Amino acid sequence: MKIINMLITNKTARPGTRITPRGLVIHWTANEGKGADAVANRNYFDRPTTEASAHYCVDDKQIVRCLPENEMGYHVGAKLYKTDALKRLSSYPNNCTIGIEMCVNKDGDFQKMYQTTLELATDILKRYGWGVDHLWRHYDITGKNCPAYFVTDSFAERFFGQSAEKAWEKFKGDVQTILTGNPQKNQPNVVKVSIEINGVHLPAQGYLKDGVSHLPVRAVAEAFGGKVEWCAETKQVKVSGQDLTETIESGVSYAPARELSAALNLQVEWHGTTKTVKLKGCVCE
Ligand SMILES: [Zn+2]
């Protein structure tokens, strides 16, 4: 992985504001013209009139670093942001994200550029101790059609021969494979989630994966007097007679907070700042 430093100096695209990154945003340049490679995009950011920037531009030859990772770029600004981005990033996601531009110049080798992007993204995730749930499409934050081949099926068909959703899942899966050597399904997010039951802190913890909090089924159900059944044959967990889509981690089964709370007839609230799931309901005897 070859990274060359070509930091931009244009102040309208590089304000010099310090940031603490909390996520990695994937973009495409949308420019399929000849020569629209990483250096060309970097040079575009450095024009005095350009108000856009990203930390890296990737083409089939190299990675160009345009901004230090601890400085703010202008790559996901918008009038409106999606709820999940506001919840998990900030009210102004430029101030806590690293941006990568994928170059699609037609005189470049798309597959090589894709592979190089995977390597860079994996390297960043590793350094910050993040899972693939810290990967965002520009689309996920603002709704912009970027990168179009991970958002719009017609583009995805042309670049990957599959739907946009599948192409994006594959990208995350490819990063996951390099990250751990394991497929994604066995890698829960390491972000721990605290649990409060009727205002009382539960010793057991859950975890956050892809923005969904998962709670330990038995610990929560028993706190509310719910009946937990386990069928060894089908490896299915039932709570108060209802099936749950559970995940087993180190012998403990976890279920999405919303499913579990519905089965137990609980109110559920998510507190993003403290990463706490608050459950309220009747504790049956
Ligand atoms: Zn973008």
Side-chain angles (χ1 to χ4, degrees):
M1 190 173 72
K2 189 168 138 204
I3 301 182
I4 60 163
N5 263 319
M6 291 182 72
L7 299 182
I8 60 170
T9 55
N10 165 28
K11 291 245 182 317
T12 62
R14 184 182 174 189
T17 312
R18 283 292 159 112
I19 63 167
T20 302
R22 281 207 286 276
L24 177 60
V25 185
I26 305 297
H27 303 266
W28 77 323
T29 59
N31 187 345
E32 295 184 57
K34 273 188 185 169
D37 60 10
V39 170
N41 273 279
R42 177 266 168 210
N43 290 345
Y44 164 73
F45 292 154
D46 211 26
R47 278 191 218 160
T49 49
T50 303
E51 292 177 19
S53 55
H55 298 79
Y56 296 97
C57 295
V58 180
D59 65 21
D60 59 329
K61 306 274 188 315
Q62 60 198 0
I63 299 163
V64 174
R65 185 182 285 123
C66 310
L67 295 169
E69 288 176 9
N70 63 352
E71 274 189 36
M72 186 165 79
Y74 294 132
H75 57 107
V76 282
K79 284 201 178 74
L80 287 172
Y81 298 99
K82 293 193 174 188
T83 314
D84 197 38
L86 292 170
K87 199 167 73 182
R88 292 174 57 208
L89 293 170
S90 77
S91 59
Y92 183 61
N94 273 327
N95 73 14
C96 60
T97 52
I98 298 169
I100 297 179
E101 287 283 354
M102 298 172 79
C103 295
V104 288
N105 47 306
K106 65 167 172 269
D107 53 336
D109 180 330
F110 182 83
Q111 276 313 316
K112 275 191 187 159
M113 181 281 299
Y114 181 90
Q115 283 301 327
T116 308
T117 307
L118 291 180
E119 285 174 36
L120 174 62
T122 308
D123 177 65
I124 293 170
L125 262 50
K126 263 190 193 162
R127 284 191 282 109
Y128 288 88
W130 296 340
V132 291
D133 58 319
H134 285 66
L135 282 175
W136 299 75
R137 295 170 290 187
H138 187 172
Y139 167 80
D140 297 320
I141 297 175
T142 70
K144 189 178 173 177
N145 186 19
C146 175
Y149 44 67
F150 291 148
V151 176
T152 306
D153 287 339
S154 58
F155 282 90
E157 282 294 339
R158 182 151 72 79
F159 283 87
F160 298 106
Q162 57 188 345
S163 75
E165 204 56 43
K166 283 207 173 115
W168 175 235
E169 285 308 312
K170 181 175 184 320
F171 180 86
K172 288 194 287 183
D174 288 345
V175 169
Q176 181 67 30
T177 302
I178 306 174
L179 203 56
T180 63
N182 289 318
Q184 189 174 354
K185 60 181 181 189
N186 293 324
Q187 294 296 323
N189 184 313
V190 291
V191 175
K192 298 286 185 200
V193 168
S194 300
I195 304 162
E196 258 186 29
I197 287 180
N198 292 334
V200 179
H201 197 77
L202 195 73
Q205 286 184 311
Y207 63 86
L208 200 61
K209 187 176 183 188
D210 295 330
V212 176
S213 47
H214 295 253
L215 306 181
V217 174
R218 187 168 295 276
V220 171
E222 286 180 355
F224 285 101
K227 199 163 151 245
V228 181
E229 296 162 61
W230 163 252
C231 175
E233 250 171 51
T234 60
K235 295 194 166 55
Q236 282 289 309
V237 170
K238 278 187 178 188
V239 168
S240 303
Q242 292 187 43
D243 269 326
L244 300 175
T245 46
E246 78 279 11
T247 311
I248 296 173
E249 298 297 340
S250 309
V252 177
S253 70
Y254 293 84
R258 296 207 177 268
E259 265 190 48
L260 185 56
S261 53
L264 290 163
N265 203 18
L266 306 173
Q267 282 175 270
V268 58
E269 271 177 33
W270 167 246
H271 287 239
T273 45
T274 56
K275 293 200 172 56
T276 301
V277 175
K278 298 190 176 188
L279 300 167
K280 283 179 197 156
C282 161
V283 178
C284 312
E285 291 305 324

